[in-house]
Amino acid sequence: MNDERMQVLQMVASGQVTAEEGGFLLAALDHDGAPAAGGDAVAAQGRPRYLRVMVTEHGEHGKKVNVRVPIQLLRAGVKLGTMLPDQAKDKVNDALRQKGAAFDISGLKAEDLDLLLEHLDDLTVDVEGDKSSTVRFSVER
């Protein structure tokens, strides 16, 4: 048994994650090593239905966030964003810049979301700050 699987099992045993979340993490680990038939993971498994974001803090308390966002909601948001007046887009872009995210929402298109989801099959980001945390993004079909 590899270290990552053992770590997930220990997190379940200590109550840091539920058994369901542990199963999700184990399935994601299994998916990492299994190539999709035909070479295209998205085509082989169908269209993505949910974006899952899980945040786990390492340490004593192991506080976590577990959010499952329907992809249709993201698509609707992208479509609504195209209907915003230019003045509103400028205000949103200014607010994003103030928060440190230099991003222009007027350039966001539905095709960009599809492309992002194709490449976001399983992404883990380690965050260092006051407490060390791991943020995991994955797509569920």
Side-chain angles (χ1 to χ4, degrees):
M1 183 176 299
N2 67 26
D3 291 338
E4 292 172 329
R5 294 179 68 77
M6 194 61 164
Q7 184 180 9
V8 170
L9 293 174
Q10 288 173 347
M11 290 170 66
V12 171
S14 69
Q16 290 179 313
V17 297
T18 65
E20 180 183 358
E21 293 165 341
F24 171 76
L25 292 171
L26 290 172
L29 289 173
D30 288 342
H31 182 274
D32 284 344
D40 185 0
V42 174
Q45 296 179 2
R47 275 189 92 153
R49 296 182 59 206
Y50 298 97
L51 173 66
R52 175 144 342 233
V53 180
M54 292 178 63
V55 180
T56 305
E57 289 183 4
H58 306 290
E60 258 180 65
H61 302 296
K63 295 179 184 175
K64 60 187 176 294
V65 174
N66 185 359
V67 181
R68 187 177 182 214
V69 182
I71 298 296
Q72 286 302 96
L73 181 62
L74 296 176
R75 289 186 203 293
V78 169
K79 288 178 185 175
L80 285 174
T82 62
M83 296 181 205
L84 288 174
D86 289 338
Q87 185 180 15
K89 289 178 186 177
D90 291 341
K91 287 186 178 186
V92 171
N93 287 335
D94 287 342
L96 287 169
R97 257 185 250 106
Q98 288 175 1
K99 296 289 185 180
F103 184 76
D104 184 2
I105 67 162
S106 58
L108 189 60
K109 299 178 185 91
E111 307 86 59
D112 297 335
L113 181 62
D114 290 334
L115 183 61
L116 173 67
L117 292 172
E118 281 181 32
H119 297 287
L120 185 71
D121 198 26
D122 190 31
L123 171 69
T124 301
V125 179
D126 290 324
V127 180
E128 296 294 330
D130 292 339
K131 296 182 178 180
S132 178
S133 300
T134 298
V135 181
R136 172 166 269 179
F137 301 90
S138 60
V139 175
E140 296 179 9
R141 293 174 197 333

